[in-house]
Amino acid sequence: YVRFIKFDTRYSKSPAGTPWSQRHLSTQAWDDIARTRISLDIFPFLSELMLMASQMSDLRDFVTVMQTSVKQLTLKLPTPSRNHHLYNPPHEISPEPYILFFDNIANRMSNLTDLDISVHDELPLSRHNLENGLVELLSGLKHLEEATLPSYWLTSRVISALSRLTRLTDARDDYTREQGYGSPDDCRSFAPVLEEGAFASALRLSLSVTVQDMNSFLSQRFTPRNLT
């Protein structure tokens, strides 16, 4: 922590994880920083944070640098294909580390305005029971203005949660290798529940759904008409 504190007034942006690959901090180092710091906010002026998790232990370690001053979060999540030893049974992993991580983001970085989540390779929401955790995370980010998620992560429930965020202007899932993928099955039956005032500030919405489902969605009573 003594080494970290020298930079506490200099950082407005900070990467953690893969970009520091040549000097990747061990779990012990993160524990030492968490135990010896004199403030929950290690970098008081930090507004942009990039968390690149290449292994499951990173989800626990990175909690140390979460703080309320962060407005823009870019997050890369580890996936089963990079954690073969966690397959139990095959092709499944425990959702608990992800859900706890999402909960920490909502509680410790509640002032986020921009959230960009990507995954290594493929991480389907339903297969790993992650949808509940993601919905809880998004519902807790009342200041969120932009959300970018992996392809097929904008499910019916996720869209319903986003529709209640009054400041949201842009929500999209990027169908790119860099962003990563969910499963098309998660968007196979697309029928979000919208309430009056849904997407109050939204201007752009990009989804990976069928044309028929999109037409049904746009025909709903409370679908805003200013979407592009």
Side-chain angles (χ1 to χ4, degrees):
Y1 176 73
V2 173
R3 294 171 62 186
F4 260 61
I5 200 66
K6 293 187 299 182
F7 305 100
D8 67 345
T9 60
R10 304 180 196 177
Y11 275 103
S12 62
K13 303 180 183 180
S14 180
T18 302
W20 290 354
S21 58
Q22 294 183 343
R23 44 179 179 158
H24 189 85
L25 293 180
S26 65
T27 293
Q28 182 61 53
W30 285 112
D31 287 344
D32 289 343
I33 293 168
R35 188 178 63 255
T36 59
R37 61 183 172 179
I38 59 176
S39 171
L40 288 177
D41 293 350
I42 296 178
F43 303 115
F45 299 99
L46 187 66
S47 61
E48 298 180 37
L49 182 61
M50 179 185 295
L51 300 177
M52 311 296 283
S54 59
Q55 53 195 11
M56 297 301 292
S57 61
D58 289 336
L59 300 183
R60 172 182 175 272
D61 297 339
F62 289 165
V63 174
T64 303
V65 292
M66 293 182 182
Q67 54 189 62
T68 56
S69 64
V70 176
K71 298 296 183 65
Q72 299 179 32
L73 175 63
T74 301
L75 173 62
K76 191 86 168 183
L77 293 175
T79 55
S81 61
R82 294 197 168 215
N83 296 271
H84 296 288
H85 61 289
L86 296 174
Y87 282 41
N88 185 25
H91 306 300
E92 293 187 9
I93 58 174
S94 169
E96 293 306 318
Y98 294 100
I99 293 174
L100 180 59
F101 188 66
F102 288 157
D103 188 55
N104 277 314
I105 293 175
N107 289 329
R108 295 169 183 259
M109 294 191 285
S110 57
N111 293 321
L112 284 177
T113 59
D114 295 85
L115 176 64
D116 186 326
I117 299 179
S118 59
V119 300
H120 293 285
D121 306 317
E122 179 182 290
L123 186 63
L125 290 179
S126 59
R127 184 188 303 168
H128 304 299
N129 299 312
L130 302 181
E131 188 177 45
N132 286 343
L134 180 62
V135 167
E136 290 296 320
L137 166 61
L138 296 172
S139 298
L141 300 178
K142 304 301 184 183
H143 302 283
L144 196 64
E145 298 174 4
E146 294 187 17
T148 305
L149 302 175
S151 184
Y152 303 116
W153 271 37
L154 287 180
T155 63
S156 296
R157 292 188 60 213
V158 171
I159 285 295
S160 296
L162 289 172
S163 72
R164 293 188 285 271
L165 299 179
T166 58
R167 300 187 182 186
L168 188 75
T169 61
D170 189 339
R172 59 186 180 274
D173 62 352
D174 280 353
Y175 193 83
T176 63
R177 183 176 181 180
E178 291 74 20
Q179 202 72 35
Y181 308 99
S183 169
D185 292 339
D186 291 346
C187 295
R188 195 78 68 187
S189 178
F190 185 75
V193 176
L194 302 183
E195 302 171 352
E196 186 174 2
F199 292 110
S201 302
L203 298 175
R204 176 182 175 185
L205 189 60
S206 175
L207 307 170
S208 297
V209 298
T210 65
V211 173
Q212 181 178 357
D213 284 341
M214 179 59 80
N215 287 336
S216 297
F217 171 70
L218 294 176
S219 299
Q220 288 196 47
R221 177 183 177 186
F222 296 124
T223 300
R225 304 306 172 192
N226 55 341
L227 290 175
T228 60

